[in-house]
Structure formats: C-alpha cells, structure tokens
Amino acid sequence: MNRRQLLQSFSGVAATTILTPELAQAAAQLSQGAASGINWQIAFADLDADLARAPMKRIHGRAPEGLAGSLYRNGPGKFHRPGGSVDHWFDGDGLMRAFRVSDGAATLEARFIDTPKRRVETAANAVVQPGFGTAGKPGAQVRNADDTNAGNISVMSMGGELWALWEAGSPIAMDPKDLSTKGIKTLREDLVHMPYLAHPRRDPGGDVWSLGLSGSQAIVWRVSAEGALKGADMVKLPMASYVHDFTATKRHLILILQPWVQDRMVMPYSDSFTWRPEMGTKVLVLDKADLTKRRIYELPAFFAFHYGSAWEETDGTLRFDGCLTGDSRFATANGKAFMKGTYVPEPASILTLVTLRPDGRVTLEPTGVTAEFPRVDGRRSGDTRRYTIHATATAPNTPLFHGVATYDWKSGKSDTYDFGATHLMEEAVFVARPGGSDELDGWLMAPSVNIKAKATELHVFDARRVAAGPICTWRSEHLLPVSLHGVFVKA
Amino acid sequence: MKTLPLVLSLIVGLAALVPASRAAETSSLTVTFSGIKATTGAILFTVVNSEAAYGDKAPASAQGMLPVSTNSASKVLSGLAPGRYAIKAFHDVNGDGKMNANPFGIPSEPFAFSNNAVGNMGPAKWDDASFDVKAGDNTHAITID
C-alpha cells in the first residue's frame, strides 16, 4: 500500500482532520517500508509474556559434533504499556533467553527478569520509572538504582548462577535451569546498590573485573570465578565520561574515557551528558596489582560502546580494538527513534585498532570495516590474538546489521557472511571445539530475527569458514525482539 | 542520587519518646514496623504533624528508637492531638546511630515512610505519606526492609 492509497482509505474524511503528525509519519514509514520491503520494526516489538521452552525446527544443515550447552542472551524485551511506554530502546524490561543445544536439537525459552521496575510498572499499567532515555512519571518509586534496574544488557555465568547485568545497578542473580530471578547480588553489605557494568573482563586466572561509575568516580570490582568479592577499590577518573565497556590485558585495566561527559544529574540519565569533542578522549591504564599505579594517554575524540580484549607486547605497547563512531548520537537519537518505529541513517561504527606506546604516542588505525558487538575467542582474552568476531553489513534504511564476520589482524582480511537485509543479525559468541586449542577452532553462535519469516533463528558457523554460511540453522515458531549480549555455557 | 542528605533528617535527636504536654490531646497511635529482615539494631523514626515539620522546617511531634530483635517491632505513642501525620523511619541495622550509605552516597540501610509511600529519588511526598490520626486509638503499619 502506498501513501496515496492509505490516505484514500480514509475516504469521506477531510484531509486536514486525518493528517495528524503521527499519521503522516506512519504513512511515510509505510511507503518507505514498502519500498525497501523490510518491516524491521518487528524486531523491536514487545514479547507479551514469558516463552516456555519449545523446540526449534532445524531448517538447514546439522549441528556439529561436540556442540552441547546453553546460549544465554539478554536484552530489552518489553517497551510498551497502556498507560505509557519507554522512550528509549535501552529502557525495556530485561528478557533472558536460553537457546539449549543437545544431540543436534535446539530449544528456545525466554523469561522476563523479575525486577522492582517491572513490578511497579505492571501494577501501574504504565512505564513510570526513570531510565537511560525515559523520564520518570507520576507514580515512579525510586529509593536507589536497583529500583530502576532493567537488568537488560548482558549475562554472565558465575558460580552456578546466571548474573543478569545492567550497568547502573547491581547484577541480578538468576537460576540457569529455569531462568527464574533470585534477586540482586550484593557483594558486600556496605556496597549495596552500587553499579556494575555489563562487560566484565575475565583474567586468565579466572578473576572477573568490572567497574561501577558515578560521575568521575569509579569502583573497581574484582570477583572470583565463583562470585565471591576479592576487591572493591575506588579510583578517580580524569573525566566524568559515560562508560559502557572497558578492556584489559593480563596486567592492566584500560578505561577509555570518551568526551560524552556528565555535567549534571538529571533524569532521563542520558540528559546528564554533553558531547564535548574539544576534550578529546583520555585512556586511563591501571595496574591490576596496584590500582594507584596509573598512566593516562591522550587520544582524538571518538565514541564507542564496545571494545575487544586488549594485549600487551614485550616492549610494553598496549593494543586493543573497538567499534568507533564519531560522536554519541546513537545513544540519544536512534536509541529513541527505534521506539517510534523509525531509523535515522547514521554512519556505521568502524572496527579500529588502538595502539598505546610506552613513549606516550598513540595511534588509531580504522580498518574501514563496519563492526559492532565485538567478541573474541575467550581463551585469548588479555593475550595477543589474531581475530575479532563481529556483526557487520548495514543497509541504508534499516538499523543494525545483517551479517557476521571475523577480522584477521595479521592479514587485514575479513571472512564474512551476509544474510541480506531481511535478517537482523545479533552478536555472535565463540564456542571452542572440545579438544581444540587453535584460536577460532570452534563455532560462532548467533541468533537473527528473520524478518520475512517473522521468527527468531539460531545459526551456527564454523568460526574459520564464516563465508561458507551457517552449518546449521534452527528456526523458532516465535519472534523475540533483538537481544544484546550473551554467553555460552557448555553442558 | 541525592537521597542521603534528605534522609539524614531522620537522625535528629535520637532520644526516647517525647511526650505531649497539653491536656487537649486525646489520641494514641500504635505504629507497627514489619517485614524486618536483619534482626539487629533499631528502627529510628520521626512523627510529624505538618508538611513544614515533614520538611524539617518545624519541630517533630514525636521521635522513637525501637530495638529490633524479631521481624516486627511496635510502639504506642500517646497524648497526640488528632490531625494529619506522617512517619519517616530508617532501620539502623548496625546500631551506629546513623543512616549509612554506599560509596556513591545511596542509603545502604533500609528506610520507609508512612503509607509505605515511596519517593522518586528522594523522600516520599507529604501528600503520599500523610494519614489521619483521629480522637481515640489509632494504628498504622509500615513495611521496612
């Protein structure tokens, strides 16, 4: 249906009474959607209720020998309520998904994280709690950050539990067997309701490092592989940046402080930040063994949500990659536009190598490759490595990505598979092949939203032969909104 | 989040119950705190009878310190004039006499208001927390922890 047909369908009604801004916008979107044939908005639609475990149908290939376990993934899953909705993608209720693979078959289940935010808003039948991009409404009940904790960014396996991770509040403990919520994780009584970022970094020894930010103060969390607190130290940051992710070598924590800086405390939270490119980007390197030992490097201004793991060379040079853009606009513009069913084309993030040299010189080397949701072979985390796994391939009028790739830092080559614009491709995680040890000897597992089929699919790739396409695909009868980050836990 | 300075108003003058002194008062109010999880320390609470007193611009009507040993604690306040009242309370779990906070200034000990009212990044509003105390015996229940 084109715009004229839509307007004609309201025959008998004066044009001026039907051309409300909302209707005009909807008509424009309809014609744009009709032109591209891509109804991507379905990937941001609410899941109305928990999804009980149900088999997925294998529609292509076969599961590889040795692939058994659960892929847990988190992301916002509900955005709209009759009395009022979120204004930003990042404020939807956390929805934990589990894709379980066993004996060549896969099942899918999804369960909302039981948070105070979800309880207050269910009772009010409206979104009232303030959030990243959503203002608080009458009836908001907020005593601390965990009252607004959407729990919706990532998930980690810790000591037999799952921890659903947000970034401005506590991890939320869940049962991996049935995705039920146990409650917030308080690592020490005097540290209740402290923030914990969604992208912790594991040491080779097993310790898990994360941060919690408040203005130019940060808490550095060190937690054992079983979830016990080993350290909680405060550090002062040279800039009050918005920090979503950080990176680490075996010996260092590396905090990238971009010039989207907090200069007040208001809700929505993102209104507290101003883009100040004249400040440049500062990289703070901390010694894990003594957090008072620090070094600051000065870089040109850029914005990034995500980084890959870092490594240190024998002469002390530090390197890491990131998915860099020129400014913070996604956080405020498209993050909100998605909730209105619109997308404003913007330059894609580019996979870039950052090098910090012992003499203080820094270089940024963009690869030219479109990239987001970077991942690595976890066995190389904090070590020198050759590959980055990432989502790739954007289309002009639809958001996010429709392909997956590995980038080879040694050769500069990409190994890419592109589903085409009818799929929204999610983050791919690496699963090592049992018995293998070479980097990328294993598989990539990534869901996609198949827009034409209106269904969620799960794909398995040979991590060293991505261009050959998925070696196995399962399709669900159900459609889940796109998820953000996850982890594979072997059976 | 700036709840700490506002909630610190609960710490004022932690003495035993301050009795009313005039003969016209004919109300009693039994306040019960329930849902207590940490069975240590004490519940420190303030009773006010005006929006001005709620905002610490006028004196409180009564204050109390209730030792905690089980999951509920109760106090009878007598000699109050009938009127509109509100209660602000926090559970001093570690018994140090103050509301503790996490390193970013957020209260780390439980706090509550009458009507179980909850504020938005600050104390509950007087309009949401206030309730009527009539002549005779009254009861009010607050969930804390």
Side-chain angles (χ1 to χ4, degrees):
Chain A
M1 182 191 282
N2 65 25
R3 184 192 176 110
R4 179 145 53 89
Q5 288 167 329
L6 176 65
L7 296 181
Q8 283 177 341
S9 70
F10 289 84
S11 60
V13 180
T16 50
T17 66
I18 62 167
L19 274 177
T20 62
E22 291 76 21
L23 188 55
Q25 183 180 76
Q29 281 301 109
L30 207 57
S31 60
Q32 187 182 72
S36 66
I38 309 296
N39 184 18
W40 58 266
Q41 290 86 349
I42 64 171
F44 295 87
D46 286 6
L47 184 69
D48 288 320
D50 292 345
L51 184 66
R53 186 175 306 173
M56 298 179 81
K57 183 178 177 191
R58 183 162 51 87
I59 61 167
H60 168 75
R62 296 165 57 115
E65 190 73 35
L67 180 65
S70 299
L71 176 65
Y72 299 102
R73 293 190 55 79
N74 196 0
K78 180 170 178 68
F79 310 96
H80 306 285
R81 293 183 185 272
S85 301
V86 304
D87 292 319
H88 197 294
W89 184 31
F90 296 171
D91 294 326
D93 291 349
L95 176 68
M96 187 65 65
R97 300 116 160 121
F99 297 86
R100 306 194 194 268
V101 176
S102 172
D103 293 326
T107 61
L108 174 59
E109 66 211 74
R111 192 159 177 179
F112 281 97
I113 300 160
D114 181 10
T115 62
K117 168 179 156 71
R118 190 164 160 86
R119 290 189 182 196
V120 164
E121 293 175 344
T122 299
N125 212 17
V127 172
V128 294
Q129 302 292 73
F132 182 86
T134 304
K137 306 291 190 309
Q141 296 184 27
V142 184
R143 298 160 299 178
N144 51 61
D146 286 320
D147 282 347
T148 63
N149 189 339
N152 66 0
I153 300 179
S154 187
V155 54
M156 181 160 72
S157 179
M158 286 290 260
E161 292 180 323
L162 293 179
W163 287 12
L165 299 178
W166 190 44
E167 61 186 6
S170 309
I172 300 174
M174 301 178 71
D175 185 335
K177 291 191 297 301
D178 64 1
L179 307 187
S180 59
T181 300
K182 294 182 179 181
I184 61 166
K185 206 74 197 165
T186 296
L187 292 165
R188 205 171 70 199
E189 285 306 314
D190 61 320
L191 301 174
V192 68
H193 307 311
M194 287 289 282
Y196 189 99
L197 291 186
H199 293 290
R201 298 281 170 181
R202 279 189 198 264
D203 264 352
D207 284 354
V208 179
W209 295 83
S210 191
L211 304 170
L213 276 286
S214 177
S216 60
Q217 289 279 97
I219 186 169
V220 177
W221 296 104
R222 182 177 188 175
V223 176
S224 75
E226 293 75 40
L229 186 69
K230 290 177 78 168
D233 293 286
M234 303 297 294
V235 298
K236 185 95 174 69
L237 306 178
M239 265 163 67
S241 302
Y242 170 73
V243 176
H244 176 75
D245 190 7
F246 68 103
T247 189
T249 67
K250 282 184 195 159
R251 293 204 298 135
H252 310 93
L253 301 175
I254 302 178
L255 283 62
I256 301 92
L257 302 169
Q258 55 206 351
W260 196 41
V261 288
Q262 183 170 11
D263 49 22
R264 66 198 114 150
M265 184 59 198
V266 295
M267 288 290 154
Y269 181 64
S270 54
D271 283 3
S272 306
F273 291 81
T274 305
W275 178 246
R276 302 269 309 273
E278 71 280 6
M279 296 176 77
T281 298
K282 292 191 199 306
V283 176
L284 172 65
V285 178
L286 301 173
D287 186 335
K288 283 178 178 173
D290 179 355
L291 296 173
T292 66
K293 291 207 182 115
R294 58 167 53 190
R295 183 160 186 189
I296 294 174
Y297 298 81
E298 308 273 349
L299 275 64
F302 60 82
F303 184 89
F305 281 106
H306 300 120
Y307 300 97
S309 60
W311 66 92
E312 181 181 12
E313 295 174 350
T314 48
D315 67 349
T317 295
L318 304 176
R319 294 195 205 264
F320 59 92
D321 56 339
C323 301
L324 272 53
T325 59
D327 57 45
S328 58
R329 76 181 74 168
F330 181 88
T332 51
N334 272 320
K336 292 183 179 171
F338 292 169
M339 296 294 95
K340 297 185 169 67
T342 62
Y343 168 64
V344 181
E346 63 171 277
S349 45
I350 299 295
L351 187 65
T352 301
L353 185 69
V354 181
T355 300
L356 311 173
R357 292 201 167 73
D359 64 2
R361 277 185 308 128
V362 299
T363 49
L364 296 181
E365 295 167 71
T367 61
V369 174
T370 294
E372 247 305 357
F373 304 125
R375 298 287 295 226
V376 303
D377 177 334
R379 301 166 299 182
R380 313 298 303 175
S381 190
D383 227 335
T384 54
R385 59 181 166 89
R386 184 164 166 176
Y387 299 99
T388 295
I389 301 153
H390 62 89
T392 194
T394 56
N397 294 313
T398 61
L400 301 185
F401 307 90
H402 44 82
V404 61
T406 62
Y407 185 82
D408 181 345
W409 291 102
K410 189 169 173 191
S411 70
K413 289 186 162 54
S414 291
D415 179 14
T416 306
Y417 185 76
D418 186 349
F419 282 92
T422 58
H423 280 254
L424 287 186
M425 193 66 194
E426 300 183 22
E427 174 196 63
V429 306
F430 175 75
V431 179
R433 187 178 60 82
S437 58
D438 286 353
E439 189 178 353
L440 285 200
D441 180 359
W443 307 290
L444 304 184
M445 292 186 78
S448 70
V449 170
N450 182 332
I451 295 169
K452 275 199 169 137
K454 292 189 169 52
T456 291
E457 296 182 353
L458 178 66
H459 310 279
V460 181
F461 292 80
D462 178 337
R464 294 185 291 190
R465 297 183 66 233
V466 175
I471 58 177
C472 187
T473 294
W474 293 276
R475 180 181 292 167
S476 169
E477 285 182 351
H478 302 275
L479 170 65
L480 300 183
V482 284
S483 63
L484 293 173
H485 301 290
V487 64
F488 185 81
V489 179
K490 286 188 202 260
Chain B
M1 210 171 286
K2 301 281 185 209
T3 54
L4 180 61
L6 300 159
V7 173
L8 279 173
S9 66
L10 298 174
I11 296 166
V12 181
L14 301 169
L17 182 63
V18 175
S21 56
R22 284 188 290 276
E25 293 80 6
T26 54
S27 297
S28 80
L29 174 63
T30 301
V31 184
T32 302
F33 297 95
S34 62
I36 299 170
K37 294 198 179 65
T39 56
T40 61
I43 306 243
L44 277 51
F45 65 96
T46 305
V47 182
V48 298
N49 70 347
S50 68
E51 186 162 8
Y54 189 77
D56 304 319
K57 294 180 173 61
S61 303
Q63 284 151 352
M65 180 165 72
L66 269 182
V68 169
S69 56
T70 68
N71 60 10
S72 71
S74 198
K75 186 78 185 181
V76 180
L77 311 174
S78 41
L80 298 176
R84 195 120 182 108
Y85 283 81
I87 302 169
K88 303 191 276 189
F90 85 95
H91 182 182
D92 179 21
V93 175
N94 63 5
D96 69 354
K98 16 189 240 267
M99 162 65 90
N100 299 127
N102 72 20
F104 290 161
I106 300 305
S108 58
E109 290 177 310
F111 61 93
F113 303 87
S114 40
N115 295 337
N116 289 324
V118 181
N120 182 5
M121 298 175 64
K125 294 188 168 50
W126 162 260
D127 285 345
D128 295 329
S130 52
F131 61 98
D132 288 322
V133 170
K134 301 177 174 46
D137 298 332
N138 299 259
T139 63
H140 195 83
I142 296 175
T143 308
I144 191 162
D145 285 18

